[in-house]
Amino acid sequence: DAGVIQSPRHEVTEMGQEVTLRCKPISGHNSLFWYRQTMMRGLELLIYFNNNVPIDDSGMPEDRFSAKMPNASFSTLKIQPSEPRDSAVYFCASSLAAYNEQFFGPGTRLTVL
Amino acid sequence: SQQGEEDPQALSIQEGENATMNCSYKTSINNLQWYRQNSGRGLVHLILIRSNEREKHSGRLRVTLDTSKKSSSLLITASRAADTASYFCATVSGAGSYQLTFGKGTKLSVIP
């Protein structure tokens, strides 16, 4: 298996633009997580999906953030409109069960100018 | 809010020495996990220890868990330059919980 795949790896955009981050979890994993990592706040859970259903989105910072999981092999995290404070590394992770070990993707480094 | 707090924040050792990192947490847990993150990369799972376990080994890694003190330690023996990375502990609280709560990590530098 190729592991968790994220795209793009790097994204530079201007304030106000829409940003879409993509994730392909490991086949057979039923839990998917989106995290954000910054120096100031460390790793923060944004949203958790179980069997493609959003279970907990309490970590999504604002209405500007939205996430979808239309099927078991694909998820998106969208920021619209983006702001400079959204600059961070965004990770997607998947696991066989929510409390088990998580497998992380390589991350998307987002820079909003 | 953070559950795990790693100590020290940074650690620098010579190749061949052992490295010990500690993690303290606040509430009861289902399990505790350690992850490694190389610079610019995603996190890699190292080891999971359940609340009813006291010690676990994996290669050069040894993890202990003391639930009475709400603490865990990660020992890397005979360190190598390739072990240079940040190490995070993460806790899963209670049965049925899904959220991994990460600490801010220990940055380990192994000098060749």
Side-chain angles (χ1 to χ4, degrees), chain A residues 30-96:
Chain A
N30 67 6
S31 295
L32 184 138
F33 306 82
W34 282 99
Y35 291 91
R36 178 172 68 176
Q37 186 178 37
T38 61
M39 288 294 292
M40 289 294 293
R41 299 173 68 90
L43 262 166
E44 302 173 281
L45 177 66
L46 299 178
I47 188 168
Y48 158 56
F49 290 89
N50 183 258
N51 290 324
N52 313 338
V53 176
I55 301 300
D56 181 1
D57 65 355
S58 60
M60 298 284 262
E62 298 168 35
D63 290 345
R64 299 183 296 106
F65 285 68
S66 62
K68 292 182 180 178
M69 192 164 185
N71 57 61
S73 59
F74 185 64
S75 177
T76 59
L77 178 68
K78 187 178 291 187
I79 309 172
Q80 165 64 16
S82 58
E83 295 183 3
R85 60 194 166 115
D86 301 331
S87 297
V89 182
Y90 291 80
F91 290 103
C92 175
S94 70
S95 66
L96 274 171

Side-chain angles (χ1 to χ4, degrees), chain A residues 1-36:
Chain A
D1 200 320
V4 176
I5 299 171
Q6 289 187 250
S7 65
R9 293 294 309 276
H10 302 272
E11 176 83 29
V12 180
T13 191
E14 292 189 343
M15 185 172 68
Q17 296 298 304
E18 177 180 297
V19 174
T20 299
L21 311 182
R22 296 173 177 80
C23 173
K24 177 177 165 47
I26 293 173
S27 177
H29 284 190
N30 67 6
S31 295
L32 184 138
F33 306 82
W34 282 99
Y35 291 91
R36 178 172 68 176

